[in-house]
Amino acid sequence: MYSDACSSTVRLNIGGKKFCTTFDTLTLREPQSMLAAMFSGRHTVCKDSEKGYVFVDRDGKHFRHILNWLRDGVAPNFSDFENIELLREAEYYQLLISRFFFSKRGLMDKINIVLKRKDDEEKQSELTRADIIKIIRSKNVRLSGINLSGLDLSKLDLSSVDFSFACLKNVIFSHSNLHRAKFQDVDAENANFHNATLRECEFLRANLRGALLAEANLDRANLHDHCVIGCCLCDADLRHANLWEAKVTYTNLEGANLRGTKLGRCDFKGANLEGACVDHDIRLVTFNLEGVKLNGERMTHVL
């Protein structure tokens, strides 16, 4: 039992950082929390011999924000990364239900609401499909750095459009003409390029994690240093494409045409290359083929 439970001052040592607060602060706002339980008088709490600090084996980086929440009910305005760190601490201390709010939301709910709101804002495109159609009627279209998340841009002529540095998460490009379009440094996670024309496109340092590129035409496309983890490239045409230093882990390349493709220093861990056509001057230099499915009969003349 904590002997000073009825006194006003409580000393805490959180991972080496020392804090001084009150019994009421630790118990009133979130009565179902771990901290409230610790100082409820129902449990024995050990104190060190020096000034009576109670030690908790957690990182003390965000504990002042935990205390400020318990004092004032105000959550800090953090970045997503810091909010995730704070959420981890709120989970540990079980800050679930607040006695002082009509909504009964504790700090955990408060942080989760902020994270969801930011996520929803990121998913909203800055333009509509109608806006894009108007824009592409002009020459030298540039959509670089714009958030187009979730837009349906299927069956459009987007040839030579510059999408560099844009957010293209979940964008639908299926059956679109993207010949010579630029996708440098784009975030196109889970984008749909099914049956799209991507000939001579620039994908330098692009994030295509989880993208659908099945039956897409990537002839002579530059995919140098790009990320296509977990993608589908089934039956895609990758003739003479540049995949040098690409990360193609756990990607389905079944039936893809890789004739003349540059594949040096690629990571193909867990990829499926069954039935892929790679029989003409393919360069496979210092690559990772751990767990790769291969069809040996069509792997002739590999260097």
Side-chain angles (χ1 to χ4, degrees), residues 160-178:
S160 301
V161 173
D162 187 352
F163 292 99
S164 298
F165 303 97
C167 182
L168 303 176
K169 289 183 177 180
N170 302 300
V171 172
I172 301 173
F173 287 110
S174 62
H175 295 87
S176 287
N177 178 13
L178 291 154

Side-chain angles (χ1 to χ4, degrees), residues 248 251-256 258 263 268 270-278 284 289 292-296 298-299:
V248 200
T251 291
N252 191 351
L253 285 150
E254 186 175 354
L258 296 165
L263 297 169
F268 278 97
N272 181 5
L273 283 161
E274 286 189 303
C277 188
V278 291
L284 291 170
L289 284 176
V292 171
K293 294 181 181 179
L294 297 170
N295 183 339
R298 304 185 71 182
M299 293 289 289

Side-chain angles (χ1 to χ4, degrees), residues 3 15 48 63 76 261 291 302:
S3 60
D48 60 26
F63 192 73
T261 305
V302 174

